[in-house]
Amino acid sequence: MHDKPADQAEPLQSDAATMRPGGRTARTATAVLDATIAELGDVGYAALRIEVVAERAGVNRATIYRRWGDKPSLVAAAFTARQAEVSPPADTGDLLEDLLCFLREVRRGFDSPWITALIRETGPRTADNDGLRQALDKIWHARFHLSRQIFARAVERGDLPADTDPDFLVQAATGPLYLRWLMLGRPLTDDFLRQTAALVIAGAQRP
Amino acid sequence: MHDKPADQAEPLQSDAATMRPGGRTARTATAVLDATIAELGDVGYAALRIEVVAERAGVNRATIYRRWGDKPSLVAAAFTARQAEVSPPADTGDLLEDLLCFLREVRRGFDSPWITALIRETGPRTADNDGLRQALDKIWHARFHLSRQIFARAVERGDLPADTDPDFLVQAATGPLYLRWLMLGRPLTDDFLRQTAALVIAGAQRP
C-alpha cells in the first residue's frame, strides 16, 4: 500500500483501510489524517504544511506524498474520514424534529476548530484556494447527500409536495445559520434554529 | 477640524463634512476614505496599514490618526461613507419584486473586491478580529435598517401577518446567498434568487 504511486491514490476507497483496526497501514493512515485535522484547526488550510503534518503524525513525509499525493488530496481524505463519523440525520418521522436535529448538528460543527478555520478562509472560489475548494466540494457533496434525506423522506410521507427540491431546502435552512454566526457574529439560539426550520417547512409546504 | 484630538473624533457625524463639496477638509476625508476602501480590496482588513492608506490618499498619516483615531474607526467611517451611497430598497408595491431587487443588490455586493475581502476574513467573532467586527456591526446595522423596510411595508399592506419579524426574514432571505456563494462556491443564478425569495415569502405568509 505504501508503494502505491501517488497518481493511483484513491483516498475515498483506501480510507476504508483506516477502518480496519490493527493493521500498520491503517494505524499510519489514522495518525496522518488525525494530524491533518489537528493542523487545520491550528493553522488553517493555507498555512498547512505536509512536513509539519508528518512530524505531528510521527511518519516520514515521503509516506504522505506517496499515499495522498498533494495537500488538497490529503485534506480531502481527512475530510472524508471525518465525514464517515457523521451519522445520517435523525429519522423521527416528523419533519420539523428531523430538521431541528440537523440544524443543531450544523451548529455543533461550528464548535470544531478545524471547521471554523476552514470556513474562515474558504471565501469565494479563486485561483489560490482552488485546492481547498476541491477538497471542500467532496465534503459538501457528502453532507448534502445525507441531509437532503430529511426532505426526501417528507416527500415520501406526503408532508411535502412531490416537486420539492431537497438540495435547495438544505441551502435555505442552513444558509441563515452561516450568515448569522459567520457574518453577523450573533448567537445561534435554539429559538433561531426553530424559527428557521419552521419558516423553511412552511414555505416548502405552500403549493 | 484637523486639530481636533483623536479622543473627540466622531466619525459618524464628521463624515457629513465629506458631503459638502469643495472644502479642503471634505476633499481630504473623501480621499482618505476612498483610499481605505481601495486598500481593503487589495489587502483586506488584517493587512491594512494606516501608513499605506495615507500614502495612497496623499495625506500625512498624522492627519488620519487625528481624525479617525485607529484602524477600526477609520474602516467604520469608510463603511459608513459607502453605506450612504446605498439606496433604500425598491418600493414596487409588490413584496416578491421588492425582495428580488434587494437580493440582486446583495449579489452585486459580492462583485466588490473590498466586500469580498472583508467577508473572506471576517469569520466568527474572535479576539483578533474584534476591531473589524466592531466596524462591520455598524454596516450590518445600517443595512438591516434599510432592508427590513421591505417586510415592514408588506406588513402595513396586509401582505404579511402583523407578528412578522422583519430582521429574521432579512437573515432567512440573504443567508442562502452567502452559503451558496461563499461556502459552496456555486453561482447565484436569478432562478436561485427567485426560488429563495418565493420560499421566504410563502413561509412568512403561513399563519
Side-chain angles (χ1 to χ4, degrees):
Chain A
M1 177 73 84
H2 273 155
D3 295 329
K4 196 173 183 185
D7 59 352
Q8 290 181 24
E10 292 161 357
L12 276 167
Q13 289 168 19
S14 56
D15 274 346
T18 68
M19 298 302 162
R20 284 200 306 267
R24 192 171 66 87
T25 306
R27 282 198 308 273
T28 300
T30 302
V32 169
L33 299 181
D34 285 353
T36 304
I37 292 292
E39 222 12 54
L40 281 171
D42 285 351
V43 305
Y45 180 84
L48 183 136
R49 289 174 57 224
I50 289 191
E51 298 81 80
V52 180
V53 171
E55 203 173 306
R56 199 160 184 159
V59 305
N60 195 298
R61 67 178 179 177
T63 304
I64 297 185
Y65 282 112
R66 259 200 308 271
R67 172 142 183 197
W68 288 282
D70 58 12
K71 185 161 98 171
S73 303
L74 173 66
V75 170
F79 287 172
T80 306
R82 275 295 180 280
Q83 187 59 38
E85 296 166 8
V86 175
S87 325
D91 183 2
T92 65
D94 180 79
L95 176 54
L96 180 59
E97 275 313 305
D98 282 6
L99 185 51
L100 263 176
C101 286
F102 169 60
L103 294 184
R104 289 192 187 114
E105 197 194 297
V106 171
R107 179 174 63 185
R108 261 196 304 279
F110 294 154
D111 292 332
S112 301
W114 68 279
I115 293 183
T116 302
L118 281 175
I119 290 176
R120 286 193 67 170
E121 70 182 307
T122 306
R125 195 181 293 267
T126 62
D128 43 272
N129 72 358
D130 193 53
L132 172 59
R133 269 277 162 225
Q134 287 175 32
L136 278 173
D137 282 350
K138 285 187 205 289
I139 201 169
W140 281 117
H141 182 80
R143 288 213 165 229
F144 271 74
H145 185 73
L146 283 176
S147 45
R148 76 159 69 89
Q149 293 173 11
I150 294 168
F151 299 108
R153 284 196 304 256
V155 171
E156 281 168 31
R157 285 195 306 264
D159 293 342
L160 287 179
D163 64 352
T164 294
D165 177 348
D167 277 341
F168 168 70
L169 293 183
V170 173
Q171 294 173 49
T174 53
L177 276 63
Y178 283 87
L179 171 75
R180 189 172 167 90
W181 170 78
L182 198 66
M183 298 291 119
L184 307 182
R186 296 196 201 155
L188 293 177
T189 61
D190 234 55
D191 270 356
F192 181 80
L193 266 49
R194 194 172 285 276
Q195 207 176 359
T196 303
L199 180 88
V200 168
I201 292 172
Q205 284 175 336
R206 195 93 170 195
Chain B
M1 176 72 84
H2 273 155
D3 295 330
K4 196 172 181 183
D7 60 352
Q8 290 180 27
E10 291 162 358
L12 277 167
Q13 288 170 20
S14 56
D15 274 344
T18 66
M19 299 301 162
R20 284 200 306 268
R24 192 171 66 88
T25 305
R27 282 198 309 273
T28 300
T30 302
V32 169
L33 299 181
D34 285 352
T36 303
I37 291 292
E39 231 356 65
L40 280 172
D42 285 352
V43 304
Y45 180 84
L48 183 135
R49 291 173 56 223
I50 289 191
E51 297 82 81
V52 180
V53 171
E55 203 174 305
R56 198 160 186 160
V59 306
N60 196 299
R61 67 178 178 177
T63 305
I64 298 185
Y65 282 111
R66 261 199 307 271
R67 173 144 183 198
W68 288 282
D70 58 12
K71 185 161 98 171
S73 303
L74 174 66
V75 171
F79 287 171
T80 307
R82 275 295 179 282
Q83 187 59 38
E85 295 167 8
V86 175
S87 324
D91 183 2
T92 65
D94 179 78
L95 176 54
L96 179 60
E97 275 314 304
D98 282 6
L99 185 51
L100 262 176
C101 286
F102 168 60
L103 293 185
R104 289 193 187 113
E105 199 194 295
V106 171
R107 179 175 62 185
R108 262 196 305 278
F110 294 153
D111 292 333
S112 301
W114 67 279
I115 293 183
T116 301
L118 281 175
I119 289 176
R120 286 193 67 171
E121 69 182 307
T122 306
R125 194 181 293 268
T126 62
D128 43 272
N129 72 357
D130 192 53
L132 173 59
R133 269 277 163 223
Q134 287 175 33
L136 278 173
D137 282 349
K138 285 188 206 288
I139 201 169
W140 281 117
H141 182 80
R143 288 213 165 228
F144 271 75
H145 186 72
L146 285 176
S147 46
R148 77 158 69 88
Q149 293 172 12
I150 294 168
F151 299 108
R153 283 196 305 256
V155 171
E156 281 167 31
R157 285 194 307 264
D159 292 341
L160 288 179
D163 63 352
T164 293
D165 177 348
D167 277 342
F168 168 69
L169 293 183
V170 173
Q171 294 173 47
T174 54
L177 275 63
Y178 283 86
L179 172 74
R180 190 173 167 88
W181 170 77
L182 198 67
M183 299 290 120
L184 307 183
R186 296 196 201 156
L188 292 178
T189 60
D190 234 55
D191 271 355
F192 181 80
L193 266 49
R194 195 171 285 275
Q195 206 176 0
T196 303
L199 181 87
V200 168
I201 292 171
Q205 285 175 335
R206 194 95 170 195

